[in-house]
Amino acid sequence: MGRRASKKIFPNFDKHGRGLRIIRRAAVLGMGVIAAMVEMTGALRDAAADETTGDASMHYAIAIHGGAGTITRGSMTPKRESEYRNKLSEALLAARQILEKGGAALDAVEAAIVVMEESPLFNAGKGAVFTADGRNELDASIMDGATLNAGAVAGVTHVRNPIRLARSVLDHSPHVLLAGQGAEEFARNHGIELVPATWFWTERRFRQLLKVQEKGEHALLLDHDGDHRFGTVGAVVLDAKGNLAAGTSTGGLTNKAWGRIGDSPIIGAGTYASNRSCAVSGTGQGEYFMRLTIAREICALVEYRDMALQAAADEMIHHRLKHLGGAGGVIALGKDGTIAFSFNTEGMYRGWLDSRDPDPKTAIYKD
Ligand code: ASP
């Protein structure tokens, strides 16, 4: 063990020289002893960094969303409906595969979101909507409820899976949120796949842009054609060690101004996770979600007011968001594995499963 390492572990010993002599002697006697001490110190530090240590019950749970909006049975063909349900199930299974092997909530969140980012059905990754000047600018975030570590990216234009980049920011950067060119430079340096901007071009989304621009220069369209549809994707997970995590990924709003950033990459607004309370991912009009810090607020109601998760989610979506004039929804997961969905729109693409009932379940409409 070098002098620097011993300084790090026993900072006060350095002042008195005596400590260092003891360490040197110990090193001669056996590096194994020191190694064990280092390991113990690390373990103590990690435990101290934990928000709360997960309550390992071997119970896991997953909930995902693929956006909320005016999604009615009348506006859906059976083929379209089964495409959405199949993709939601695939995302759930990708997360389940990780959790049933004892994997981490963060990994499961990332895996579920990657499946949806790869599909043109959702407004995230491949299916991202267009900005007013015909580009695709993507936002994403991910948060670890055990440590409160978080990573987020905003306004990226060449990142195939923005959730992977958000995860890399969480793992490898001292920062929480990276934007634009800096975020893409970070992607390049950390082996995250970059694609030409044309990767995100889909005819369906381009038509949406043209349609909304017919309405006027400043019209904004939330995803899925109608006036109130949001196609953002998100996942919340409880792993078998009792740790929560949440993530969200989006292309934002059709015809948004370039440089506009929504709630999805904002920790506390579109995404939040804490082992003390819950994990939340939202979809809807980002400006309202930011002003109400919806994701964090739900967890705060659970943590400080001891509110039931569903009641906390409904309070924010059916009362606070609605009264401010906003539309959207959330998925939420409690530390005991309780799953809650709340949306003030006609529908929300959603799916869930847990270790007691591990078959994927999906729903779209209100009833
Ligand atoms: N919340 C996203 C945003 O405002 C949009 C969405 O949910 O579809 O960027």
Side-chain angles (χ1 to χ4, degrees):
M1 171 191 283
R3 188 188 169 90
R4 282 180 102 183
S6 64
K7 196 171 177 179
K8 231 175 155 184
I9 297 163
F10 304 104
N12 294 329
F13 269 40
D14 254 12
K15 285 187 206 144
H16 311 289
R18 202 169 73 98
L20 276 179
R21 279 198 300 279
I22 294 169
I23 290 167
R24 272 193 214 110
R25 229 171 281 148
V28 174
L29 289 174
M31 290 302 286
V33 177
I34 299 294
M37 287 168 82
V38 170
E39 206 162 285
M40 215 169 80
T41 312
L44 288 174
R45 191 194 48 228
D46 289 350
D50 268 7
E51 170 65 348
T52 61
T53 307
D55 178 15
S57 63
M58 297 313 287
H59 177 57
Y60 65 76
I62 314 159
I64 59 173
H65 71 78
T70 322
I71 312 162
T72 54
R73 284 197 172 79
S75 65
M76 189 72 90
T77 63
K79 183 171 170 274
R80 197 79 173 157
E81 184 174 322
S82 70
E83 280 171 0
Y84 274 105
R85 287 185 188 273
N86 289 344
K87 199 45 85 174
L88 290 168
S89 298
E90 193 184 322
L92 287 167
L93 292 175
R96 191 185 77 181
Q97 206 182 11
I98 290 168
L99 295 173
E100 61 195 5
K101 288 190 205 128
L106 268 183
D107 293 334
V109 164
E110 184 180 335
I113 290 181
V114 164
V115 169
M116 294 186 279
E117 284 179 340
E118 287 292 303
S119 164
L121 289 174
F122 305 99
N123 172 20
K126 176 74 184 156
V129 299
F130 283 89
T131 61
D133 57 354
R135 290 148 32 102
N136 309 94
E137 296 184 352
L138 297 93
D139 304 333
S141 65
I142 190 163
M143 184 163 187
D144 179 2
T147 58
L148 300 191
N149 284 338
V153 294
V156 294
T157 53
H158 296 92
V159 178
R160 179 168 174 158
N161 298 110
I163 196 69
R164 284 204 201 286
L165 180 56
R167 174 67 190 273
S168 188
V169 171
L170 184 155
D171 287 339
H172 305 298
S173 167
H175 307 301
V176 168
L177 173 59
L178 296 180
Q181 282 181 11
E184 299 206 337
E185 182 64 25
F186 185 90
R188 210 164 285 123
N189 294 336
H190 288 83
I192 301 293
E193 185 175 353
L194 295 168
V195 287
T198 48
W199 164 260
F200 302 105
W201 196 93
T202 57
E203 190 175 339
R204 177 175 169 224
R205 299 300 187 202
F206 196 67
R207 280 185 193 283
Q208 278 180 356
L209 176 67
L210 298 180
K211 196 171 148 199
V212 76
Q213 288 188 337
E214 279 168 16
K215 291 188 187 168
E217 199 189 333
H218 299 297
L220 283 174
L221 183 68
L222 300 148
D223 190 38
H224 305 312
D225 300 324
D227 283 340
H228 288 293
R229 294 175 179 226
F230 321 93
T232 291
V233 306
V236 288
V237 169
L238 172 75
D239 66 27
K241 295 191 180 81
N243 291 319
L244 288 165
T248 310
S249 181
T250 190
L253 308 179
T254 299
N255 207 30
K256 68 183 180 181
W258 73 263
R260 179 267 185 190
I261 292 167
D263 60 312
S264 308
I266 306 297
I267 297 301
T271 302
Y272 196 76
S274 164
N275 279 7
R276 288 183 191 278
S277 49
C278 62
V280 177
S281 169
T283 173
Q285 291 162 313
E287 282 68 12
Y288 292 87
F289 276 66
M290 285 189 273
R291 288 159 65 202
L292 288 165
T293 56
I294 284 187
R296 170 62 193 146
E297 197 81 356
I298 291 171
C299 293
L301 290 173
V302 170
E303 186 176 342
Y304 301 125
R305 283 235 217 124
D306 216 11
M307 253 171 119
L309 188 65
Q310 186 67 55
D314 288 345
E315 168 67 24
M316 291 313 297
I317 299 300
H318 291 292
H319 298 288
R320 305 297 304 279
L321 177 63
K322 201 168 161 205
H323 289 157
L324 207 59
V330 291
I331 51 172
L333 188 54
K335 55 187 178 180
D336 61 351
T338 305
I339 296 173
F341 301 103
S342 188
F343 48 98
N344 65 10
T345 51
E346 290 296 319
M348 179 164 81
Y349 296 108
R350 56 201 189 278
W352 66 98
L353 62 80
D354 65 26
S355 48
R356 291 173 195 133
D357 190 359
D359 289 334
K361 279 154 289 289
T362 60
I364 299 176
Y365 314 107
K366 213 182 261 175
D367 42 76

